[in-house]
Amino acid sequence: QVQLVESGGDMVQPGGSLRLSCAASGRPFNSNIMSWVRQAPGKGSEWISYINIDNGRTYYADSVKGRFTISSDNAKNTLYLQMNDLKSEDTGRYYCARGWGVPQRQGFWGEGTQVTVSS
């Protein structure tokens, strides 16, 4: 079973940047769509971006468009999310997922990494 492990979360000031990584262990992603989804305190899941790792096509939610960039290194089985111009409303736990809109369960979501944007 593919295990997804996120890293790169931290506390940053508004306007700062972070780069999140998601490493797939065991074998390749096993999905042509890889996504990032976040959960803010007291809120539900917000699916923010996906990439088709076969053709490179990407999608961004309006809330992150123009500030976040998703990418993948298929040779390293690693997914990335470059986050620029971070805002307080970007605070939350960030998860990578195999697929888009899939239920949160082991093998499809990682354990997440915390991003806190605060002055």
Side-chain angles (χ1 to χ4, degrees), residues 1 9 15-17 34 37 46 62 67 74-75 77 86 94 96 107 114:
Q1 187 177 21
S17 297
M34 293 296 297
V37 54
E46 180 186 13
D62 287 342
R67 299 187 298 121
N74 296 346
N77 299 326
L86 283 162
Y94 284 68
C96 64
Q114 181 66 33

Side-chain angles (χ1 to χ4, degrees), residues 42-58:
K43 296 185 178 180
S45 300
E46 180 186 13
W47 293 81
I48 58 174
S49 182
Y50 75 72
I51 183 168
N52 184 317
I53 62 173
D54 290 336
N55 60 28
R57 184 172 181 176
T58 59

Side-chain angles (χ1 to χ4, degrees), residues 95-114:
Y95 302 83
C96 64
R98 295 195 295 125
W100 177 257
V102 295
Q104 186 173 10
R105 63 183 189 271
Q106 189 176 17
F108 286 85
W109 288 43
E111 294 299 315
T113 186
Q114 181 66 33

Side-chain angles (χ1 to χ4, degrees), residues 70-109:
I70 190 171
S71 62
S72 67
D73 185 332
N74 296 346
K76 296 182 178 179
N77 299 326
T78 303
L79 180 73
Y80 302 100
L81 186 68
Q82 177 67 44
M83 306 188 296
N84 298 329
D85 189 22
L86 283 162
K87 305 176 181 180
S88 58
E89 52 262 43
D90 294 318
T91 293
R93 193 160 185 86
Y94 284 68
Y95 302 83
C96 64
R98 295 195 295 125
W100 177 257
V102 295
Q104 186 173 10
R105 63 183 189 271
Q106 189 176 17
F108 286 85
W109 288 43

